[in-house]
């Protein structure tokens, strides 16, 4: 599944828990910006999503939630400036255990990628660093999200149960027609 925010108009607000594609939603409001990334970024033009918060109206940390477990997640993240970004992507399973994590510390947007069975949510920790300090006015966003939904295996006993019910039906029919 690929989620690219090009399909949304700039300044669109997407409510918390609203599916943005493929069963992916976020824990709070996100806003679509039509500024793209710069500096050798994963998406150089078009829309990106930001997660404004009370502490940082230009984009802050965000949690993504999947309707079904995934085994792979890739996301482009960074900002439109040239300040230093420290970004950590952490995938978590339904029990709250960390499945995988990836991190970068750079002056340009990057792709982060995590893998592992059973990822049901992720946390994107975004820190803009300007003049050696955390910049609460940074403008980090994310875009070009790709993930693989984990197929749910069929329980091995289910076909046997179906055959048993079929056989019981055939036997009941024979008894009814004999009696």
């Amino acid at each position: 599944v690929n989620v690219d925010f090009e399909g949304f108009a700039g300044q669109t607000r997407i409510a918390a828990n609203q599916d943005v594609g493929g069963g992916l939603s976020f824990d709070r409001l996100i806003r679509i910006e039509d500024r793209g990334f710069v500096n050798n970024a994963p998406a150089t033009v078009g829309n990106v999503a930001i997660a404004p918060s009370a502490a940082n109206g230009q984009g802050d940390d965000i949690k993504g939630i999947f309707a079904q477990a995934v085994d792979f997640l890739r996301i482009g993240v960074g900002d439109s400036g040239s300040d230093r970004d420290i970004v950590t992507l952490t995938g978590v399973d339904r029990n709250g255990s960390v499945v995988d994590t990836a991190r970068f510390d750079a002056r340009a947007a990057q792709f982060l990628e995590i893998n592992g069975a059973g990822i049901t949510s992720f946390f994107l920790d975004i820190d803009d660093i300007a003049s050696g300090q955390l910049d609460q006015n940074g403008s980090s966003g994310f875009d070009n999200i790709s993930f693989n939904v984990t197929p749910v295996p069929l329980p091995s006993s289910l076909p046997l149960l179906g055959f048993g019910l079929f056989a019981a039906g055939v036997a009941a029919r024979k008894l009814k027609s004999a009696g």
Side-chain angles (χ1 to χ4, degrees):
V1 176
N2 294 305
V3 176
D4 185 349
F5 295 108
E6 297 308 314
F8 296 88
Q11 301 304 312
T12 297
R13 295 180 187 280
I14 300 172
N17 303 312
Q18 180 179 335
D19 188 336
V20 295
L24 171 62
S25 62
F26 295 96
D27 66 337
R28 61 192 168 88
L29 176 133
I30 62 172
R31 187 175 71 228
I32 307 304
E33 295 284 329
D34 56 1
R35 58 182 160 84
F37 295 123
V38 295
N39 300 326
N40 304 318
T44 55
V45 296
N47 297 345
V48 298
I50 66 167
S53 69
N56 187 348
Q58 296 299 314
D60 209 346
D61 305 341
I62 186 107
K63 178 181 178 182
I65 303 117
F66 296 105
Q68 292 181 276
V70 304
D71 59 10
F72 166 81
L73 170 63
R74 184 176 193 237
I75 184 169
V77 63
D79 67 17
S80 59
S82 60
D83 60 344
R84 182 175 158 214
D85 298 324
I86 301 173
V87 181
T88 305
L89 174 63
T90 304
V92 179
D93 68 15
R94 70 173 184 215
N95 298 317
S97 299
V98 172
V99 175
D100 194 12
T101 188
R103 180 178 188 270
F104 77 78
D105 182 341
R107 294 191 181 279
Q110 307 278 323
F111 274 112
L112 286 174
E113 187 174 299
I114 56 175
N115 297 280
I119 298 171
T120 56
S121 63
F122 66 88
F123 186 71
L124 193 56
D125 180 11
I126 305 170
D127 292 324
D128 274 347
I129 308 296
S131 303
Q133 297 182 351
L134 186 61
D135 179 9
Q136 293 298 337
N137 295 312
S139 57
S140 293
F142 51 95
D143 194 13
N144 298 332
I145 304 168
S146 300
F147 55 93
N148 293 330
V149 175
T150 307
V152 177
L154 183 66
S156 59
S157 61
L158 193 59
L160 290 174
L161 176 63
F163 180 74
L165 290 172
F166 174 75
V170 169
R173 188 173 190 159
K174 281 186 178 186
L175 283 174
K176 184 176 181 179
S177 64

